[in-house]
Amino acid sequence: MRKDLCIVGAGPAGLLTASYVKERDIILIEEHRQVGVPKHCAGLVGIETKRKIEQQLSPKLIDNEYNEIEFHIAGVGRYVFHFKQPFVFHVNRPMLEQKLFDKVSSRVEFLNKVRAKPGNSPTEITIEYSVMKCQEVVASDGVLSVFRQRFYKVKPCYLIGFQGLFRTGYVNKDRIIVTYINNNDLIFHWIIPFDNDLVLSGYISRKPLQINITEKLLILNGLQPKSVAEYFGGLIPCNHPLKTPVFAHNLYFFGDAVPLVKPYTGGGLYYIFKLAPDLALALDKKDPEIYEKAYISQSYFKLETERLLTGFFSRTRYWLPVPILEFVEKTGLLGIEDYDRHYKLFFKTLPFTPILPVHLFRMRRALA
Ligand SMILES: Cc1cc2nc3c(=O)[nH]c(=O)nc-3n(C[C@H](O)[C@H](O)[C@H](O)COP(=O)(O)OP(=O)(O)OC[C@H]3O[C@@H](n4cnc5c(N)ncnc54)[C@H](O)[C@@H]3O)c2cc1C
């Protein structure tokens, strides 16, 4: 018998979709034993996503907030932004997935420890040796999406994100520290305090690095790692977002499978929370256009613009013009919502960037 709606992958994208869909019989397929494992995410979100998590799930999922960010940019300088209100929040990721799962578990048929593969048509799923036919499929199977590889013929592109949770000496628990390095291996590094002496030290790199890099980066920032509680990490997609997120009217792509990740930081939760209601409505009404329109207007062009600008800044090694950002912040033009809307950060700072041509000229001379 043909199944109604099959969702592949029970990460935040698959679970959130299932939580919004009201009028379909859902089969949720997950290759791991339970949701939320293995852990990989740093769990930072901006104010918009934080509000959605609090309203739709539970305020308890937000366990930390920050109102200061310190930027180090190799060869440029060190800048500290202090906002009057918190602008970045930490969400407990394993608990987020568990909470979403609790919300949907009585309504969905959950197949765990099952790896789904695409079948011959977009609505066929191969599970072990049998074929499941579905009316519609949501491919929320993450960075290495086998459905995207099969139907869009796109090879996955990804960066590596790795983190260690350390006990250290005293840290300022209101401040996140971000260091842009951008050499051949390392792209950027972050320190997120969870307490006055507990920090997450993580980095994004182009290739796997030695495990002790997270400690070394802490020491470089003047912190003394005393003990490590755990290491974890995962892959961050760097493919272009799909031009059309629905294949043949019945295979919907969502989350890292698109990918919907912000190119500047690798954060994926913002667009997942933004687009999930429209995706669910499209599935309930069996009208893919609802999702396609929302995807194009709310995310596709913004993500592509951010990709272009991030690529430009990383190639010129200029990154976000932080001195200008500092100036714009003082004028009051910068809002705390802009943490999530990088295209706005770029456009708000670029007009004030007369030093950019000078920087490019110096770069050209240095490379000549
Ligand atoms: C180191 C690191 C730090 C990050 N930090 C942040 C951050 O601070 N803020 C932020 O917003 N985002 C962050 N992200 C990104 C964020 O974690 C992802 O964007 C988000 O998890 C994407 O959700 P998803 O459901 O699309 O994919 P995933 O979370 O990858 O979920 C996909 C699910 O599908 C399952 N699956 C995959 N293939 C199959 C298959 N064939 N059959 C069955 N099941 C399958 C997987 O087991 C998994 O459970 C970070 C990522 C990394 C790696």
Side-chain angles (χ1 to χ4, degrees):
M1 203 186 79
R2 197 174 268 271
K3 306 284 181 190
D4 189 12
L5 175 62
C6 303
I7 301 182
V8 181
L15 287 165
L16 203 61
T17 307
S19 80
Y20 277 109
V21 169
K22 295 284 170 273
E23 294 161 25
R24 307 288 300 263
D25 292 327
I26 301 172
I27 295 196
L28 181 60
I29 306 163
E30 169 56 49
E31 65 180 338
H32 289 104
R33 190 168 49 83
Q34 64 185 87
V35 300
V37 291
K39 198 160 108 172
H40 60 263
C41 176
L44 291 187
V45 292
I47 187 127
E48 224 178 299
T49 313
K50 176 241 184 197
R51 283 188 188 131
K52 286 178 187 158
I53 292 173
E54 283 183 339
Q55 284 158 11
Q56 290 156 28
L57 296 162
S58 162
K60 286 190 190 140
L61 294 177
I62 305 294
D63 53 18
N64 265 298
E65 51 183 42
Y66 309 92
N67 60 356
E68 282 183 17
I69 186 159
E70 181 176 325
F71 281 110
H72 294 243
I73 302 192
V76 178
R78 174 180 166 276
Y79 305 87
V80 179
F81 291 101
H82 179 92
F83 290 87
K84 287 191 194 85
Q85 319 162 40
F87 70 105
V88 189
F89 305 85
H90 182 258
V91 54
N92 183 322
R93 260 297 294 267
M95 250 173 81
L96 172 80
E97 264 117 306
Q98 192 54 52
K99 200 83 192 164
L100 280 166
F101 183 71
D102 293 345
K103 207 172 165 187
V104 300
S105 58
S106 60
R107 293 194 286 117
V108 306
E109 187 183 334
F110 184 52
L111 303 185
N112 64 344
K113 292 205 285 182
V114 170
R115 181 159 174 80
K117 289 189 193 140
N120 289 330
S121 84
T123 49
E124 278 179 11
I125 293 176
T126 310
I127 290 173
E128 284 159 6
Y129 297 105
S130 61
V131 173
M132 185 187 278
K133 291 182 193 275
C134 316
Q135 300 279 351
E136 268 145 343
V137 173
V138 176
S140 45
D141 53 339
V143 187
L144 301 175
S145 175
V146 280
F147 287 82
R148 191 184 55 205
Q149 289 184 55
R150 162 82 172 80
F151 292 104
Y152 281 110
K153 313 269 182 255
V154 183
K155 252 182 87 183
C157 154
Y158 51 81
L159 300 169
I160 290 160
F162 190 73
Q163 318 181 77
L165 185 62
F166 294 93
R167 285 266 165 224
T168 58
Y170 176 80
V171 283
N172 177 351
K173 73 177 180 55
D174 298 324
R175 181 182 294 183
I176 287 173
I177 302 172
V178 177
T179 309
Y180 284 101
I181 302 154
N182 199 31
N183 60 23
N184 288 339
D185 301 334
L186 266 180
I187 302 177
F188 72 88
H189 167 236
W190 59 87
I191 297 176
I192 305 170
F194 289 160
D195 213 329
N196 276 332
D197 68 348
L198 185 68
V199 299
L200 190 66
S201 166
Y203 62 80
I204 295 189
S205 64
R206 294 188 170 86
K207 59 181 189 195
L209 301 175
Q210 282 173 337
I211 200 163
N212 64 358
I213 293 283
T214 43
E215 274 116 308
K216 285 191 180 159
L217 290 165
L218 275 178
I219 295 166
L220 276 177
N221 278 281
L223 294 170
Q224 205 48 54
K226 289 182 184 156
S227 61
V228 60
E230 58 178 334
Y231 289 111
F232 55 96
L235 304 177
I236 295 173
C238 50
N239 287 96
H240 280 275
L242 294 171
K243 281 201 179 105
T244 43
V246 187
F247 186 86
H249 304 291
N250 41 28
L251 171 59
Y252 292 69
F253 287 84
F254 196 40
D256 278 8
V258 174
L260 290 172
V261 159
K262 292 181 291 173
Y264 201 60
T265 58
L269 294 174
Y270 175 68
Y271 283 111
I272 290 177
F273 272 85
K274 209 168 176 63
L275 291 174
D278 290 299
L279 169 58
L281 190 66
L283 292 163
D284 273 337
K285 302 257 177 257
K286 299 196 176 178
D287 180 358
E289 243 185 60
I290 298 175
Y291 177 49
E292 282 165 342
K293 276 189 183 154
Y295 170 77
I296 295 291
S297 66
Q298 293 181 41
S299 63
Y300 178 72
F301 290 116
K302 290 170 187 164
L303 284 167
E304 281 292 41
T305 310
E306 285 174 11
R307 255 185 85 90
L308 202 76
L309 290 165
T310 305
F312 170 74
F313 285 124
S314 74
R315 265 193 301 281
T316 59
R317 307 203 65 202
Y318 195 70
W319 290 101
L320 216 149
V322 178
I324 306 298
L325 195 62
E326 202 169 46
F327 167 74
V328 179
E329 202 259 327
K330 287 205 175 92
T331 63
L333 278 171
L334 208 64
I336 55 169
E337 290 83 2
D338 294 335
Y339 167 79
D340 265 334
R341 299 186 294 209
H342 298 146
Y343 61 99
K344 287 214 167 165
L345 279 184
F346 289 124
F347 287 126
K348 281 181 180 179
T349 52
L350 275 180
F352 298 95
T353 314
I355 54 171
L356 186 60
V358 178
H359 174 79
L360 290 176
F361 179 70
R362 278 181 26 210
M363 278 288 301
R364 269 191 59 187
R365 281 189 50 184
L367 292 173

